Amino acid sequence: MPFPHPVKGCRLALASGGRGGKLTVDMPTNEILLVTISVLATLLVARWNLLRVARRLVEWAHKLRTGEETQKEPLPKTALLWPVVQEVLQMAANLKEARAAAEEEARLRLAGGSRWTPERLKGHVRSILHGRSFLVIANREPYTHIRDGGRIKCVTPASGLVTAVEPVLRACGGTWVASASGDADRETADEHGRLRVPPDAPVYTLKRVWLTEEEEEGYYYGFSNEGLWPLCHIAHTRPVFRVEDWKQYCSVNGKFAEAALQELAGTENPFVLIQDYHFALLPRLIRERRPDAKIAIFWHIPWPNPEAFGICPWGRELLLGMLGADLIGFHIQAHCNNFLDTVDRLLESRIDWEQFAVNRAEHKTTIKPFPIGIAPNREPAEGKNGVGGPIPREQVLNRLKLQVKWVGVGVDRIDYTKGIAERFLAIERFLEKYPEYRENFVFAELAAPSRTSIKRYHDLGAELELEVERINQRFQTRNWKPILFLKEHHNREEIDLFYQGADFCLITSLHDGMNLVGKEFVGSRSDEHGTLILSRFAGASRELRDALLVNPYDIDEVAEAIHDAVTMSTDEQKARMSRMRAVLDEHNVYRWAADITTELDQIRPDS
Ligand code: ADQ
């Protein structure tokens, strides 16, 4: 039957006969020839294009393999082969990384160095684990998925904890259990909340746990941050203990225990590394169900003395929970001593003061300091653009739009433990005592809002703004004010730029487990200039003895330290800075992770 509307010059017909019908096409010969030629031409062009790109890919890969320059002739971004090109680029990036690591290893071996690198840590952890699983539990997740316009963005939070623990997971391919925190977290994970990370080259599993608003309110903001945080920091902010918060804390610890146990199913003698004060009950909850597990908890904040800790209505429960671990780590020995004193006072147990261990109910827990560090050789901001090395100071100040001779910097979460108000008072005193610095000096405070749904934190932000306003009004002139209060979360490059442009970094924590900011400042000063002024109540003061150590409550002392910093000779700055940089290099974050895993490995099972 002919088609109702046949195309001009072309007749299509189905030969009668139902099922066995045949389609026939009648077309003038010259048109058939034309169609054939254009099809052939298209095929030839496509083939030529494909061959050209394939040849470029082969040449490019060859250059990469033999170590020749590949940057000058980037790969073509052909739409057809774009997925292949992307894969090749990723492989190239991995190869470059591996090459750099191997070169660094070789360099260190030749230099007889003992420095810890990601590669060394990787080998070390593998040799310890012998294929056993490694599980990390932390409130903070290493990768958050957030919506950004129409896209989903993957963000790594700026966190010392993430920097420290991620290399271990990258090395042994375990699992990280954490609270989900991004608005696109659910759709980027599977139905069990799991996803493989890092997104560009997956090697371990991130397991997300979802908390309800009430759970987050009670467990995170309530018990953890209004109760335990002020309890452990001697900063004269009264802890708040509410029974509802405690119930949520218990229930969320239970929820994480279930998630961890699910991940441990089918494994033998796994290593479990729990992070921080959010999970004091977790070691015991896991031990009860998995006595074969080796469990460590690292407490990133200070531990107070027994009198201070004694006011917590659930102090015994917290201690019993923590003592489910084989190993409890703090940043410094003083916090270990306080912990042992507290156990001695509140629980029936046998303390072994020689080995720093608690023996209780036939289980032994070792208590040890593991001072956390930063990743070494952080790239200076300029390095990212391929130039490398420190940027000249004038250039840094130009970029920061600072037209003064002396610059100081502070970098903090807005937290009452960081002594930010005391810092501003010290700057006021300095300008009072040394008026010659007016108009020639700026202090930039990079302050990230933090835990703002807690009233004390919300109020603190406003109080600090008023204080800055008062001091600025007192001294400011037409084109100058002494304090820049930059109240936002800054990216790494911006922070590095301030570190590099500053004559001094001022850390006035009223109490701090370690404080990574001082270490970051020293780590970023490859020019060996600049002075660190550091509170003696920060754990970092035990290692960074070449900082100017101050009591932040003594405003005059801090003001004098600022004066010492801006008048310090270049030679002295260099001598102090190079000694501090050597300490940082030796005690970097990879060593921290290696020390904890080694210690956990050496712990014998309970007899
Ligand atoms: P924090 O009290 O959060 O951590 P701190 O050591 O001071 O710790 O580190 C803060 C981090 O946040 C630094 O990496 C810093 O660069 C970054 N940061 C601060 N202000 C910022 C801003 N405005 N914008 C962007 N980033 C900013 C807890 C303990 C510490 C301990 C660490 C690690 O309280 O004592 O050192 O854990 O164990």
Side-chain angles (χ1 to χ4, degrees):
M1 194 179 69
F3 268 55
H5 304 290
V7 182
K8 200 179 164 198
C10 175
R11 190 172 67 80
L12 285 167
L14 270 176
S16 58
R19 286 163 164 251
K22 237 168 58 190
L23 185 70
T24 60
V25 180
D26 282 351
M27 202 188 256
T29 326
N30 57 345
E31 288 194 15
I32 292 175
L33 204 66
L34 208 65
V35 170
T36 315
I37 289 172
S38 54
V39 168
L40 278 174
T42 313
L43 280 175
L44 269 174
V45 170
R47 187 184 139 83
W48 181 80
N49 262 331
L50 276 175
L51 274 178
R52 192 177 59 93
V53 177
R55 219 173 282 131
R56 282 289 312 283
L57 266 172
V58 172
E59 277 167 17
W60 196 85
H62 178 79
K63 277 189 181 169
L64 185 79
R65 185 168 57 78
T66 52
E68 284 177 62
E69 177 62 73
T70 52
Q71 301 282 14
K72 285 181 194 147
E73 296 171 58
L75 282 177
K77 295 185 176 175
T78 327
L80 197 62
L81 286 181
W82 184 230
V84 181
V85 171
Q86 254 183 326
E87 269 310 304
V88 172
L89 285 173
Q90 184 57 54
M91 265 168 50
N94 293 353
L95 184 66
K96 262 193 190 156
E97 239 173 61
R99 237 183 222 153
E103 276 165 15
E104 175 70 355
E105 284 299 303
R107 196 184 64 73
L108 287 175
R109 259 199 307 279
L110 282 178
S114 60
R115 207 174 91 191
W116 281 91
T117 62
E119 280 308 302
R120 185 171 169 200
L121 177 65
K122 198 171 184 160
H124 173 77
V125 174
R126 280 200 179 143
S127 73
I128 282 181
L129 286 176
H130 288 302
R132 289 176 291 176
S133 347
F134 192 87
L135 189 78
V136 167
I137 305 157
N139 181 63
R140 184 73 69 96
E141 58 177 344
Y143 297 96
T144 307
H145 285 96
I146 51 169
R147 235 171 273 284
D148 182 22
R151 290 184 323 120
I152 289 179
K153 224 169 60 178
C154 180
V155 188
T156 303
S159 145
L161 188 151
V162 171
T163 321
V165 183
E166 238 239 329
V168 191
L169 270 291
R170 282 184 185 241
C172 58
T175 300
W176 180 311
V177 185
S179 293
S181 56
D183 56 5
D185 270 2
R186 211 178 270 278
E187 61 202 90
T188 43
D190 69 11
E191 71 271 28
H192 304 291
R194 293 193 192 111
L195 67 155
R196 298 283 293 165
V197 288
D200 49 356
V203 284
Y204 72 92
T205 302
L206 168 61
K207 157 95 174 173
R208 287 173 173 154
V209 175
W210 274 273
L211 301 182
T212 63
E213 243 175 65
E214 297 76 57
E215 282 173 335
E216 197 179 8
E217 197 53 47
Y219 139 85
Y220 180 75
Y221 290 109
F223 194 74
S224 297
N225 286 318
E226 282 191 280
L228 287 179
W229 178 269
L231 179 77
C232 290
H233 289 91
I234 310 300
H236 310 285
T237 289
R238 189 177 167 157
V240 180
F241 295 114
R242 305 180 192 94
V243 71
E244 312 83 65
D245 292 347
W246 168 245
K247 283 184 188 159
Q248 292 292 3
Y249 186 83
C250 296
S251 116
V252 171
N253 271 245
K255 199 168 184 173
F256 270 83
E258 284 311 318
L261 289 164
Q262 263 175 28
E263 297 306 308
L264 293 178
T267 64
E268 273 178 31
N269 308 316
F271 272 44
V272 179
L273 186 49
I274 300 165
Q275 303 292 323
D276 236 352
Y277 58 100
H278 311 93
F279 296 122
L281 307 179
L282 210 46
R284 186 169 181 204
L285 292 174
I286 294 178
R287 169 158 313 286
E288 281 169 355
R289 307 259 296 273
R290 288 299 303 262
D292 65 321
K294 286 200 169 190
I295 306 172
I297 180 164
F298 188 80
W299 200 260
H300 289 256
I301 62 176
W303 190 275
N305 63 39
E307 289 75 20
F309 185 80
I311 66 166
C312 176
W314 302 283
R316 274 176 58 85
E317 286 84 343
L318 292 171
L319 292 177
L320 290 173
M322 290 173 77
L323 290 174
D326 299 289
L327 178 65
I328 300 178
F330 294 97
H331 286 302
I332 59 171
Q333 186 63 50
H335 302 156
C336 298
N337 297 351
N338 281 349
F339 181 81
L340 285 169
D341 278 339
T342 308
V343 173
D344 205 13
R345 193 77 65 85
L346 294 188
L347 293 183
E348 255 182 51
S349 59
R350 192 162 53 79
I351 311 275
D352 182 340
W353 284 101
E354 242 168 55
Q355 288 189 37
F356 286 94
V358 179
N359 294 287
R360 195 178 181 282
E362 292 175 19
H363 177 63
K364 177 175 163 183
T365 305
T366 303
I367 320 298
K368 279 196 85 165
F370 299 95
I372 207 165
I374 55 165
N377 280 349
R378 293 261 316 279
E379 220 178 341
E382 193 73 336
K384 295 246 156 49
N385 305 332
V387 180
I391 319 169
R393 183 178 151 87
E394 300 81 76
Q395 230 174 299
V396 176
L397 296 189
N398 275 343
R399 282 206 213 168
L400 296 174
K401 300 193 175 64
L402 296 176
Q403 319 276 310
V404 286
K405 191 156 179 218
W406 289 281
V407 176
V409 67
V411 181
D412 308 81
R413 283 184 306 99
I414 299 184
D415 193 302
Y416 51 83
T417 60
K418 303 292 181 187
I420 305 172
E422 286 73 5
R423 192 174 311 176
F424 293 156
L425 290 177
I427 288 158
E428 179 180 29
R429 185 82 188 105
F430 165 73
L431 292 171
E432 234 171 45
K433 273 180 99 171
Y434 302 101
E436 64 273 27
Y437 287 91
R438 296 182 196 175
E439 296 193 83
N440 255 327
F441 166 100
V442 160
F443 183 78
E445 175 64 38
L446 281 58
S450 170
R451 305 173 191 167
T452 44
S453 58
I454 298 174
K455 188 173 180 304
R456 178 77 182 89
Y457 282 80
H458 178 266
D459 293 351
L460 179 66
E463 283 163 27
L464 291 175
E465 259 175 44
L466 283 179
E467 196 59 356
V468 170
E469 216 175 283
R470 181 187 67 74
I471 297 169
N472 277 345
Q473 271 178 7
R474 179 170 171 201
F475 297 107
Q476 74 191 27
T477 56
R478 211 163 151 222
N479 296 315
W480 171 80
K481 48 185 164 184
I483 302 178
L484 287 181
F485 189 39
L486 307 170
K487 202 174 155 196
E488 62 187 316
H489 190 277
H490 294 74
N491 65 37
R492 239 25 286 166
E493 282 71 27
E494 283 170 327
I495 295 179
D496 273 351
L497 212 54
F498 274 99
Y499 284 152
Q500 285 171 52
D503 296 282
F504 66 94
C505 176
L506 184 48
I507 293 164
T508 47
S509 309
L510 305 181
H511 204 188
D512 218 332
M514 172 56 70
N515 192 290
L516 292 180
V517 173
K519 293 191 170 183
E520 287 170 359
F521 173 66
V522 172
S524 74
R525 295 311 294 255
S526 52
D527 63 350
E528 297 188 336
H529 281 65
T531 307
L532 176 65
I533 304 174
L534 177 62
S535 161
R536 59 180 80 248
F537 307 130
S541 67
R542 305 295 199 276
E543 290 171 276
L544 302 177
R545 310 299 300 180
D546 278 288
L548 301 180
L549 298 182
V550 292
N551 170 0
Y553 291 92
D554 186 341
I555 304 301
D556 269 90
E557 189 191 22
V558 182
E560 277 310 311
I562 296 174
H563 186 251
D564 290 347
V566 293
T567 52
M568 190 181 282
S569 73
T570 314
D571 283 350
E572 188 174 349
Q573 286 179 40
K574 276 193 156 211
R576 286 174 181 259
M577 202 43 107
S578 76
R579 285 194 295 261
M580 288 194 285
R581 286 173 63 82
V583 171
L584 282 195
D585 232 29
E586 175 77 15
H587 295 269
N588 66 34
V589 76
Y590 305 114
R591 179 178 178 156
W592 175 81
D595 285 350
I596 292 184
T597 43
T598 307
E599 187 67 34
L600 200 52
D601 182 50
Q602 283 167 1
I603 283 169
R604 297 285 139 249
D606 296 323
S607 53

